Amino acid sequence: MAERVRQRGISIFRPIVYGNTATVLTQEERNALSTPDHTHKWTVAVRSAASAPDSDIVGGADDLSYFIKRVTFKLHETYANPTRNVDKPPFEVSETGWGEFDIQIRITFVPESGEKAISFFHHLKLHPWTATTEPEIPPLEEALKIGPVHSWQYDEIVFNDPFQSFLQTLLAHPPTPLPKTKRRPIPFHATNPGSLEASKGGVPEFTALMEKEEAERLDVAKQAVIAETDKWRNILIEKEKELKKLKKQLEA
């Protein structure tokens, strides 16, 4: 039973990406559907963060089934069977549609991990990104020229105090490292509007540099929150002093 003993003080993570790629349908493709009002075909997925060489998808270099048992995608209720369970790679769902909506994603880990399932949301993105992040729907011909729309988020699943057997499984499957430098377009993210131009021109790829830059942006944002909190705390202290002074004057 030693293998069921948790390894206290150990944390190990696995990088993933989740999101979607959407492509506008031609008029012929729309006419061939049983739902001709649908304007796009799209795929939502959970994948390893690194991309395979010459791959035409975002991420997916590694098989995640050694620690993921199931990924559940909860689509909009207007879809038939909106709760989609995917029990083997690729952990993805492909559909057609006309509107953007939030998709709930639930990851269930392999039983030997002893870990609870985690859930998060992804906003399905169909229309091209803009600097303001406000949706702009281009005419069909222009959308076809722009090509696929990509919306992907990098994240890290952290396992704290893992069971010995599960730790050995993780160590036996090291993740493919992210490239150190930019080889392709980079994924656009609303928190970094400056990346819009760098995201154009093909299938995007996450890099180690992006990971570092994201950590730096988070640190800057954290410091800004701390500074703002300190400012309002000092204002509150001054107001409390003024209130005490006024109370004393009223009591005199």
Side-chain angles (χ1 to χ4, degrees):
M1 295 298 292
E3 63 179 11
R4 296 300 293 172
V5 175
R6 288 195 175 274
Q7 303 301 294
R8 302 295 179 186
I10 291 179
S11 290
I12 186 169
F13 73 91
R14 286 295 174 265
I16 65 165
V17 294
Y18 61 90
N20 80 275
T21 294
T23 305
V24 68
L25 295 169
T26 65
Q27 192 59 57
E28 291 75 15
E29 290 173 321
R30 297 182 191 185
N31 294 339
L33 294 174
S34 59
T35 51
D37 59 329
H38 285 192
T39 57
H40 292 74
K41 55 185 176 182
W42 50 262
T43 297
V44 60
V46 173
R47 299 174 182 152
S48 65
S51 298
D54 303 318
S55 173
D56 61 353
I57 64 172
V58 179
D62 302 327
D63 180 350
L64 303 181
S65 60
Y66 67 92
F67 74 93
I68 292 180
K69 175 179 174 57
R70 167 181 290 176
V71 178
T72 301
F73 300 91
K74 190 171 183 180
L75 311 182
H76 194 274
E77 60 185 11
T78 53
Y79 282 88
N81 183 27
T83 300
R84 311 285 179 89
N85 293 315
V86 183
D87 294 324
K88 61 181 180 180
F91 295 112
E92 62 185 40
V93 167
S94 294
E95 268 289 359
T96 62
W98 59 266
E100 299 181 349
F101 56 91
D102 289 334
I103 298 175
Q104 184 186 58
I105 301 174
R106 179 180 174 88
I107 296 178
T108 302
F109 301 106
V110 293
E112 55 268 31
S113 72
E115 300 287 338
K116 295 180 179 179
I118 60 173
S119 297
F120 44 90
F121 287 88
H122 169 69
H123 183 75
L124 180 69
K125 181 71 175 170
L126 300 183
H127 307 296
W129 290 102
T130 63
T132 63
T133 71
E134 292 297 322
E136 292 183 6
I137 304 177
L140 176 58
E141 291 303 318
E142 183 180 339
L144 288 170
K145 289 179 181 179
I146 293 173
V149 171
H150 299 280
S151 177
W152 295 88
Q153 176 68 47
Y154 173 92
D155 205 347
E156 294 175 351
I157 298 178
V158 181
F159 301 103
N160 294 314
D161 306 330
F163 285 119
Q164 174 65 30
S165 58
F166 185 52
L167 175 61
Q168 293 305 314
T169 297
L170 293 172
L171 293 174
H173 297 82
T176 299
L178 294 174
K180 293 182 180 180
T181 57
K182 178 178 177 290
R183 304 181 300 187
R184 306 181 192 175
I186 62 173
F188 175 74
H189 197 275
T191 59
N192 182 21
S195 65
L196 180 60
E197 286 303 315
S199 70
K200 298 177 179 179
V203 179
E205 179 181 50
F206 286 86
T207 67
L209 180 60
M210 284 185 66
E211 182 183 2
K212 178 175 178 291
E213 290 174 344
E214 180 65 17
E216 291 174 349
R217 281 195 295 271
L218 288 173
D219 187 58
V220 169
K222 180 180 178 181
Q223 295 303 319
V225 170
I226 292 173
E228 190 72 8
T229 302
D230 288 343
K231 183 187 80 171
W232 286 105
R233 182 185 295 113
N234 291 333
I235 290 174
L236 180 60
I237 290 172
E238 290 302 316
K239 294 298 181 183
E240 287 177 342
K241 288 181 179 178
E242 291 179 12
L243 181 60
K244 288 181 179 179
K245 184 178 180 181
L246 288 172
K247 284 183 176 179
K248 287 183 177 180
Q249 290 176 350
L250 291 172
E251 292 171 354

